[in-house]
Amino acid sequence: MISKTINLTLKVWRQNRGEKKGRLETYSAKNISVDMSFLEMLDVVNEELTKNKKETIAFDHDCREGICGMCGAVVNGRPHGHEKETTLCQLHMRHFSDGDIIVIEPWRARAFPLIKDLVVDRSALDNIIQAGGFISVNAGGAPDANALPISKEIAEAAFNAAACIGCGACVAACPNASAMLFVSAKVSQFALLPQGRPEAARRARTMVRMMDQCGFGNCSNETECEAECPKGISISNIARLNREFLKAEFS
Amino acid sequence: MNPDVKMHTKLDAKVPAGSLAEKWDRHRFNLKLVNPANKKKFEIIVVGTGLAGASAAATFAELGYHVKNFCIQDSPRRAHSIAAQGGINAAKNYSNDGDSVWRLFYDTIKGGDFRAREANVYRLAQLSCNIIDHCVAQGIPFARDYGGFLDNRSFGGAQVSRTFYAKGQTGQQLLLGAYSSLMRQVSTGMVKLFPRREMMDLVVVDGKARGIVVRNLITGELETYTAHAVVLATGGYGNVFNLSTNAMASNVTAAFRAYKKGAYFANPCYTQIHPTCIPVHGTFQSKLTLMSESLRNDGRVWVPKKPRDKRRPGDIPESERDYYLENKYPSFGNLVPRDVASRNAKEQCDLEKGVGETGLAVYLDFADAIKRDGENAIAGKYGNLFQMYEKITGDNPYKTPMMIYPAVHYTMGGLWVDYNLMSTIPGLFVLGEANFSDHGANRLGASALMQGLADGYFVIPYTIGGYLAQTSFSEINVPDSKEFKQGIQNVQQRIDKLLSVNGRRTVTEFHRELGLILWEYCGMSRNEEGLLKAREMVSNLRHEFWKDVYVPGTGKDLNQSLEKAGRVADFLEFGELMILDALARKESCGCHFNTAFQTEENEARRDDQNFCHVACWEYNGDDQVPNFHKESLTFENVELSQRSYK
Ligand SMILES: Cc1cc2nc3c(=O)[nH]c(=O)nc-3n(C[C@H](O)[C@H](O)[C@H](O)COP(=O)(O)OP(=O)(O)OC[C@H]3O[C@@H](n4cnc5c(N)ncnc54)[C@H](O)[C@@H]3O)c2cc1C
Ligand code: SF4
Ligand code: FES
């Protein structure tokens, strides 16, 4: 029993560092086993390019398990491709058919300048966390972990918000290139937990300000972010962020 | 000992005096303190932003030191620690089931097959409780029970429930906690962040670690940074095997460069192979995915009795299945330790009883558990794992048995450090998986996260102070420093060389070949003949690499092929060191299983008379056999015993 293979045509965004304009270039991906992941398929194309002494396609990746948030590209117009709640590294080729044409482009957003090919600079997301995405506690001073009971429901809701992997697909999906889903996930995680309450209002304000400063757009409730988020982060977090933000502005 | 290896001095681990329970307290008292006003005069380089690196960098900054923090990924939050699933141990005894600092200490020492340092392990068990307190304060959403208190589970065969977890994403949540503390310190200006940088060399001035050379992965430029101390938290080297559960960028480069600058490498042959991973699907497989070990609580492992039986699992009747773990180890059955389960799986496949397309897999069957407890109960326990399995393989484990195979998972070996976590180079400290310290010859589940965070939050912040307070430092002016100039020059030469070979084979091809050699001869079981053969094969492969590799692109740009080439070049050299270490350890212990040394029950047979030591290797020039040093291990508090799982 040999697993099924397919042949594909790729149109991949190529753009060198410093180049004003990029272009879609066409490659063929031959004999791709349907058990491969999307990134392994790109590996195959890159091996072929290397053998022909050509420069490989640059793309970010690391864990290849859907948890580090490093990978991501827009595949046929959809961030991380068409499978629901799946990162690009966990998208398997069995979801494609022989003869498919696949267009692969980088995240596009003003706040994510392009570095090369499919690689963009997402350090703006780190800047947002620096603005307030933490609880101000130093190592060494904490009380016993069980001193503060937290209901299972609250702990789980906080966990669900904390599951964001910081990939930036929500930004790529949003017509305004807003990072609201990302910001709201972090604000919610801490706003839900009693440890995070003391700084909740300030955190919402400083993080949203930083988001604006970094060049992300505003949220106009398009909900594309939720649809494309690989971790199923809910837009109800945005409502919670808005409440915290209003509190901060009026206090 | 091999005839060509030179034996040298004994190493002093600087373990403080006093009873085990008092050592750390006393030591902290005896360590010199840096005057609070002086802390800001010191700069510390931290390489790595995983649990160990991020926690150390954040804590240094909280104390008032200036920190420069480096990582390969585009953000510190993406370090490989993010992928840890199962949990983190702590001796809280919240379950009231008899756990204690002593029990965690004892389990860790025994699990490591008595090849770890007592004092370090005891300190680790002591600090485990502080970690959980701090992590909860940071807002880490650990699993809780209905009373709102923290939930614990038993993990990796432990007899007590001491593992704290956050669904199957414990590493992610712990790392995001450390990352948030780190980001807070970036915003205060105490930490300066350098992502997308790869450390290419360590710079030693007047015998002390004083800086690093890094490659800016975007521009390709080589940059130098100075500091009063350098802390490496660069993770493990499992990717030397090509396929492993580690993230793609995990490497040995940083540690190996430090080794070449004089830091001793300890126990490189100790690698842990995890029994339950998703099997390899083909040549282009890029990494392996771990399935939680908890699956063995309900799944039954079997293979067909007949070799090369290609029937579908459902068509193989009960009488023609071999539940080999249950048959061989009647009392532990499917729950034998990781190394035993792994070795047995490979053995079955070597007998051509392996299943699936490649014949490199065994079944893990839930049919009986589903019959017994119902599909809902099984889904409640393992739902997310079954889903993940289906996503990757396209098979539904409720309907057909899972296929699993062992995979390289963790490396216990690493740079040698003393009780202060300082290497043999003054001012070079090593934390987390990158050091060799606490797990001996085998690591217990949920202990790596604990060690990384103990090192970073609670050990190094003290011990580095002792070093800084006692050391005098010369001024360094980089443009004039011959050491820094030399560092840049060496790195540049190597990059130029990689780009100019212009051969015919790709880096991936070499990496794959190296991986296969090590897996076969220096993997879960070894013997002298195989190791000798492998040593020659790896050496030949390395020479071939430098003659025939082709690396596309230039050095002046983001060039992922070049990055990989550098890492694989180091793996090729390092592979030989692993083999040498495995050859020199003429016993079996923990994950180092030499078939010549086994009990009648096929258990590792230690030789405590001759090998109760840490094996340390000192670089001695290219193509030269490294010098051997040893740290003798003495056990004053536990009795050495022989494992048995029959
Ligand atoms: C799939 C999986 C599941 C696991 N599950 C568990 C578990 O449940 N419980 C448990 O206790 N342990 C678990 N482990 C083990 C544990 O995750 C690791 O041992 C631990 O996270 C290592 O942390 P670290 O901080 O030492 O290194 P890492 O997290 O590997 O971080 C290394 C850092 O160093 C940087 N770096 C590396 N090389 C360089 C260089 N040359 N230049 C610059 N920067 C560099 C990287 O960018 C990164 O920031 C698991 C491991 C795997 C693979
Ligand atoms: S909210 Fe979802 S899409 Fe946005 S960064 Fe987080 S995980 Fe990615
Ligand atoms: S590579 Fe880590 S999420 Fe895809």
Side-chain angles (χ1 to χ4, degrees):
Chain A
M1 186 172 72
I2 277 293
S3 75
K4 204 181 132 201
T5 62
I6 51 177
N7 295 313
L8 305 157
T9 304
L10 309 185
K11 295 191 177 292
V12 185
W13 190 261
R14 303 295 309 252
Q15 183 169 354
N16 282 325
R17 207 158 46 86
E19 252 181 352
K20 281 249 156 42
K21 270 203 199 135
R23 68 230 153 256
L24 283 172
E25 285 190 10
T26 307
Y27 302 92
S28 52
K30 291 206 192 83
N31 297 320
I32 300 299
S33 151
V34 294
D35 288 330
M36 279 182 196
S37 70
F38 198 88
L39 300 188
E40 284 168 346
M41 183 273 292
L42 287 179
D43 290 342
V44 172
V45 174
N46 274 343
E47 271 296 277
E48 206 47 44
L49 286 171
T50 309
K51 289 225 168 99
N52 293 319
K53 307 225 158 179
K54 297 217 174 80
E55 245 196 86
T56 52
I57 302 160
F59 63 93
D60 266 335
H61 63 96
D62 199 22
C63 73
R64 298 204 174 191
E65 285 191 12
I67 193 74
C68 74
M70 186 110 178
C71 69
V74 178
V75 175
N76 291 338
R78 303 200 45 191
H80 291 300
H82 60 280
E83 279 291 300
K84 196 170 153 38
E85 293 190 18
T86 303
T87 55
L88 196 58
C89 59
Q90 290 293 82
L91 176 64
H92 283 77
M93 297 314 290
R94 68 182 73 92
H95 301 294
F96 293 87
S97 310
D98 193 42
D100 277 358
I101 297 173
I102 308 178
V103 182
I104 311 171
E105 296 165 279
W107 286 173
R108 296 192 192 278
R110 191 154 65 96
F112 292 163
L114 190 124
I115 294 174
K116 185 179 180 180
D117 300 341
L118 304 174
V119 178
V120 298
D121 180 353
R122 287 170 290 192
S123 41
L125 297 181
D126 287 332
N127 295 339
I128 294 176
I129 300 293
Q130 285 153 25
F134 46 76
I135 289 175
S136 300
V137 56
N138 285 358
D144 184 86
N146 256 351
L148 182 68
I150 298 170
S151 82
K152 195 176 165 76
E153 292 72 36
I154 296 284
E156 273 172 14
F159 176 88
N160 289 340
C164 163
I165 57 173
C167 63
C170 46
V171 178
C174 176
N176 311 327
S178 171
M180 270 305 248
L181 193 63
F182 169 81
V183 176
S184 71
K186 198 39 80 185
V187 167
S188 289
Q189 176 197 343
F190 290 143
L192 282 161
L193 295 170
Q195 307 92 300
R197 284 308 312 168
E199 296 170 285
R202 188 171 58 106
R203 178 181 304 118
R205 191 175 58 222
T206 53
M207 288 178 74
V208 170
R209 291 236 168 102
M210 182 54 84
M211 178 181 90
D212 294 343
Q213 266 174 37
C214 288
F216 292 101
N218 289 325
C219 173
S220 51
N221 292 323
E222 311 284 333
T223 73
E224 303 273 348
C225 53
E226 186 187 58
E228 303 294 358
C229 172
K231 294 293 138 178
I233 302 294
S234 153
I235 49 167
S236 64
N237 289 304
I238 297 184
R240 190 176 296 107
L241 166 62
N242 285 334
R243 285 199 298 277
E244 293 296 338
F245 186 73
L246 288 176
K247 267 192 234 166
E249 291 298 280
F250 292 108
S251 61
Chain B
M1 187 57 46
N2 274 37
D4 51 352
V5 175
K6 280 197 233 84
M7 171 75 185
H8 278 254
T9 49
K10 290 196 169 143
L11 278 163
D12 176 11
K14 309 223 170 63
V15 173
S19 75
L20 207 46
E22 285 171 359
K23 281 182 198 291
W24 177 234
D25 248 10
R26 279 225 218 166
H27 187 60
R28 281 191 294 176
F29 180 73
N30 290 332
L31 280 170
K32 276 213 163 147
L33 294 176
V34 179
N35 178 320
N38 279 343
K39 285 196 175 128
K40 60 176 184 297
K41 294 185 193 148
F42 288 111
E43 287 189 302
I44 304 173
I45 284 174
V46 179
V47 189
T49 60
L51 286 175
S55 58
T59 311
F60 288 146
E62 288 166 10
L63 291 172
Y65 296 111
H66 284 281
V67 180
K68 296 168 182 159
N69 194 189
F70 298 80
C71 68
I72 292 180
Q73 294 80 5
D74 68 330
S75 163
R77 65 181 290 153
R78 308 201 201 284
H80 162 62
S81 294
I82 200 93
Q85 303 168 350
I88 176 167
N89 286 333
K92 282 281 195 188
N93 194 30
Y94 284 163
S95 311
N96 198 27
D97 55 359
D99 200 12
S100 62
V101 168
W102 189 271
R103 189 179 293 279
L104 176 53
F105 154 73
Y106 183 76
D107 287 356
T108 309
I109 284 276
K110 181 172 181 231
D113 220 1
F114 305 97
R115 291 294 175 262
R117 195 187 287 151
E118 270 189 343
N120 281 56
V121 178
Y122 193 86
R123 173 176 66 188
L124 176 64
Q126 284 176 308
L127 294 174
S128 65
C129 297
N130 306 44
I131 298 172
I132 303 302
D133 297 342
H134 184 51
C135 289
V136 167
Q138 280 174 326
I140 291 175
F142 282 119
R144 287 176 184 267
D145 59 23
Y146 284 103
F149 296 104
L150 293 161
D151 193 25
N152 287 144
R153 61 184 174 198
S154 129
F155 196 73
Q159 285 167 313
V160 291
S161 291
R162 62 158 79 98
T163 304
F164 294 76
Y165 65 101
K167 290 223 173 109
Q169 281 137 264
T170 317
Q172 179 198 29
Q173 294 308 318
L174 293 173
L175 184 62
L176 293 181
Y179 162 80
S180 68
S181 291
L182 180 66
M183 290 300 104
R184 173 171 163 243
Q185 294 305 325
V186 172
S187 74
T188 66
M190 296 301 287
V191 175
K192 199 160 167 11
L193 213 54
F194 298 91
R196 291 202 197 264
R197 302 295 202 290
E198 181 159 2
M199 171 177 157
M200 309 297 274
D201 212 351
L202 176 76
V203 183
V204 179
V205 181
D206 302 332
K208 297 177 204 110
R210 293 301 305 273
I212 57 175
V213 180
V214 305
R215 181 165 181 271
N216 179 323
L217 298 181
I218 294 177
T219 63
E221 266 160 58
L222 298 183
E223 304 165 347
T224 53
Y225 297 91
T226 60
H228 297 94
V230 177
V231 176
L232 293 191
T234 47
Y237 51 81
N239 279 350
V240 66
F241 287 89
N242 181 30
L243 290 181
S244 83
T245 61
N246 288 12
M248 301 298 285
S250 298
N251 66 84
V252 77
T253 292
F256 201 66
R257 290 321 156 92
Y259 161 75
K260 287 199 159 182
K261 281 286 160 73
Y264 294 0
F265 214 108
N267 300 332
C269 83
Y270 290 165
T271 37
Q272 185 172 74
I273 296 183
H274 197 290
T276 50
C277 298
I278 297 179
V280 176
H281 59 64
T283 324
F284 282 98
Q285 178 109 22
S286 57
K287 77 155 286 183
L288 297 171
T289 304
L290 176 82
M291 300 296 290
S292 167
E293 189 156 41
S294 60
L295 290 167
R296 286 197 283 140
N297 289 334
D298 285 294
R300 298 181 68 195
V301 177
W302 66 274
V303 292
K305 280 190 178 154
K306 225 172 48 204
R308 292 178 301 279
D309 187 339
K310 287 291 160 201
R311 285 176 293 175
R312 279 181 310 183
D315 299 340
I316 302 179
E318 222 27 66
S319 60
E320 293 177 42
R321 301 176 175 191
D322 182 4
Y323 293 88
Y324 58 89
L325 288 178
E326 296 172 16
N327 297 336
K328 228 167 133 179
Y329 307 94
S331 55
F332 276 76
N334 295 298
L335 290 174
V336 291
R338 287 179 179 179
D339 54 329
V340 178
S342 296
R343 265 198 313 274
N344 277 282
K346 180 160 189 288
E347 198 176 286
Q348 295 299 325
C349 295
D350 288 348
L351 295 170
E352 298 191 59
K353 293 184 187 175
V355 298
E357 233 170 76
T358 58
L360 293 176
V362 299
Y363 289 126
L364 181 64
D365 199 334
F366 290 87
D368 289 336
I370 291 173
K371 222 181 281 161
R372 184 187 65 221
D373 302 341
E375 194 166 313
N376 280 344
I378 295 302
K381 281 195 204 167
Y382 309 114
N384 59 345
L385 292 168
F386 278 30
Q387 213 179 354
M388 174 166 113
Y389 182 84
E390 185 166 5
K391 198 169 229 173
I392 295 174
T393 62
D395 280 342
N396 177 348
Y398 294 104
K399 301 261 161 345
T400 177
M402 272 187 183
M403 286 191 273
I404 53 163
Y405 200 60
V408 172
H409 180 56
Y410 183 88
T411 52
M412 282 75 65
L415 292 177
W416 183 86
V417 289
D418 64 14
Y419 188 74
N420 294 313
L421 303 182
M422 189 158 91
S423 71
T424 49
I425 300 176
L428 178 72
F429 295 82
V430 191
L431 320 181
E433 194 172 337
N435 74 23
F436 89 103
S437 66
D438 300 350
H439 309 293
N442 178 39
R443 175 178 71 78
L444 292 185
S447 289
L449 304 182
M450 168 174 75
Q451 182 225 329
L453 290 180
D455 287 359
Y457 284 132
F458 299 114
V459 179
I460 189 78
Y462 293 96
T463 57
I464 208 165
Y467 171 77
L468 295 171
Q470 269 189 329
T471 310
S472 56
F473 295 96
S474 56
E475 272 306 307
I476 295 182
N477 179 17
V478 174
D480 304 332
S481 155
K482 66 174 190 306
E483 289 86 357
F484 277 85
K485 264 191 237 159
Q486 188 69 49
I488 292 254
Q489 216 176 55
N490 291 350
V491 173
Q492 190 60 54
Q493 265 171 10
R494 191 177 149 91
I495 290 174
D496 294 344
K497 204 167 146 200
L498 281 169
L499 287 166
S500 64
V501 177
N502 203 10
R504 288 160 307 170
R505 296 179 61 190
T506 68
V507 174
T508 308
E509 285 168 0
F510 283 101
H511 197 186
R512 204 178 289 143
E513 201 171 321
L514 173 67
L516 288 174
I517 298 171
L518 292 175
W519 177 254
E520 194 54 38
Y521 301 108
C522 197
M524 54 195 129
S525 65
R526 300 133 185 214
N527 61 56
E528 177 141 339
E529 192 192 339
L531 287 166
L532 286 171
K533 188 164 151 194
R535 192 174 170 188
E536 197 173 317
M537 287 167 90
V538 172
S539 160
N540 291 342
L541 190 65
R542 175 163 59 91
H543 287 107
E544 181 126 348
F545 176 90
W546 287 104
K547 269 194 292 200
D548 204 20
V549 73
Y550 174 69
V551 182
T554 77
K556 295 279 166 229
D557 195 5
L558 171 63
N559 184 344
Q560 292 167 322
S561 309
L562 176 63
E563 291 168 30
K564 180 155 188 199
R567 292 172 202 151
V568 170
D570 284 331
F571 280 141
L572 281 162
E573 272 182 77
F574 176 72
E576 263 186 87
L577 188 64
M578 283 175 72
I579 295 169
L580 188 68
D581 185 46
L583 273 168
R585 189 168 283 282
K586 295 193 192 309
E587 65 161 352
S588 292
C589 60
C591 294
H592 168 65
F593 188 80
N594 184 325
T595 50
F597 308 100
Q598 49 182 314
T599 66
E600 274 161 20
E601 300 177 353
N602 304 107
E603 269 293 331
R605 198 179 71 223
R606 292 193 320 267
D607 175 355
D608 294 330
Q609 210 75 53
N610 297 302
F611 290 94
C612 199
H613 62 239
V614 181
C616 306
W617 301 94
E618 179 193 13
Y619 178 69
N620 194 23
D622 285 335
D623 284 313
Q624 300 296 315
V625 178
N627 296 329
F628 174 80
H629 304 264
K630 74 180 178 194
E631 179 198 338
S632 299
L633 294 168
T634 43
F635 292 89
E636 291 165 357
N637 300 278
V638 300
E639 202 177 312
L640 277 60
S641 62
Q642 166 71 47
R643 289 197 316 184
S644 172
Y645 293 99
K646 284 268 163 155

